[in-house]
Amino acid sequence: HELNQQLELRVRERTNELEQANEQLKAEIRQRRRKEKIQQAIYQISQAVPTAKDLDSLYQQIHRTVQGLMRAKNFYLALRERGKDVFAFPYFVDEVDPPPRPMTVTTGLTGYVLRTGQPLLVNRQTRIRKKEAGLAVLSAPTGETAYLEAGSPCAVWLGVPLTVRGEAIGVMAVQD
């Protein structure tokens, strides 16, 4: 009787170990597939650059490629004006808001990404707090404060810097 109990215990332990190993393998496969999709997207964008008939069609192709990776109905590219602390929106697609006017790099989350050259994700876990003037503020890992001043509130905002020779010249952003 005791031998059967020990055997059953070993079988349960081994089954548990196998289930954990299986879940870990599944997670690794998901991660590998995600990396492959990202590599394919980068390749598609690099192929679109020399074949695009104009900048607007290139921006549209970039947007379509990003939509293949994630929900990206609200998507924009912001580019810093050369030699100025201002950025404009040459490509802007949003379900609610019209394209904004040019802004200074001290404005908004886009300005924050331009100033720091670091990607930024704002979501429900990175709670946005209200400041006395009614502006939403986010305390970033660098300790700097970024102000969300324009546009409709969104649940998730992701901005990544577009860099040339280590300098942020623009931002690609998705919001939901």
Side-chain angles (χ1 to χ4, degrees):
H1 183 68
E2 189 175 316
L3 198 54
N4 282 340
Q5 287 179 337
Q6 287 178 348
L7 183 58
E8 286 178 18
L9 179 61
R10 284 186 193 171
V11 168
R12 278 194 300 258
E13 288 173 351
R14 186 67 181 137
T15 300
N16 190 25
E17 289 172 5
L18 288 172
E19 287 174 353
Q20 289 176 358
N22 189 32
E23 289 303 314
Q24 185 176 2
L25 284 173
K26 286 179 183 178
E28 288 175 15
I29 289 169
R30 284 191 300 272
Q31 185 177 17
R32 185 172 293 141
R33 285 183 181 153
R34 180 83 175 143
K35 284 181 181 180
E36 288 171 0
K37 284 180 80 171
I38 291 170
Q39 287 175 335
Q40 179 65 28
I42 291 169
Y43 177 76
Q44 288 173 352
I45 291 170
S46 70
Q47 292 301 301
V49 171
T51 60
K53 62 182 179 189
D54 57 32
L55 281 176
D56 195 51
S57 64
L58 174 62
Y59 298 154
Q60 289 173 18
Q61 178 59 42
I62 292 170
H63 186 186
R64 281 191 300 272
T65 302
V66 170
Q67 283 180 311
L69 296 172
M70 67 183 69
R71 182 181 169 152
K73 286 184 179 180
N74 302 307
F75 176 89
Y76 64 85
L77 295 168
L79 296 178
R80 186 178 206 154
E81 292 184 21
R82 190 172 284 185
K84 298 181 181 178
D85 285 338
V86 174
F87 61 92
F89 301 86
Y91 185 81
F92 188 91
V93 175
D94 193 277
E95 296 171 294
V96 178
D97 296 320
R101 293 184 304 219
M103 298 180 181
T104 64
V105 295
T106 57
T107 303
L109 298 174
T110 303
Y112 173 83
V113 173
L114 272 172
R115 288 191 314 277
T116 64
Q118 299 295 312
L120 180 65
L121 173 65
V122 177
N123 59 26
R124 289 181 181 95
Q125 287 75 36
T126 56
R127 295 305 337 163
I128 296 177
R129 301 181 312 266
K130 294 290 180 187
K131 194 174 178 182
E132 69 278 342
L135 303 175
V137 296
L138 168 74
S139 180
T142 61
E144 184 173 350
T145 301
Y147 296 89
L148 178 58
E149 300 169 349
S152 299
C154 58
V156 178
W157 185 92
L158 171 65
V160 294
L162 304 171
T163 58
V164 173
R165 295 181 199 99
E167 180 185 348
I169 62 154
V171 174
M172 181 170 55
V174 177
Q175 55 192 13
D176 189 13

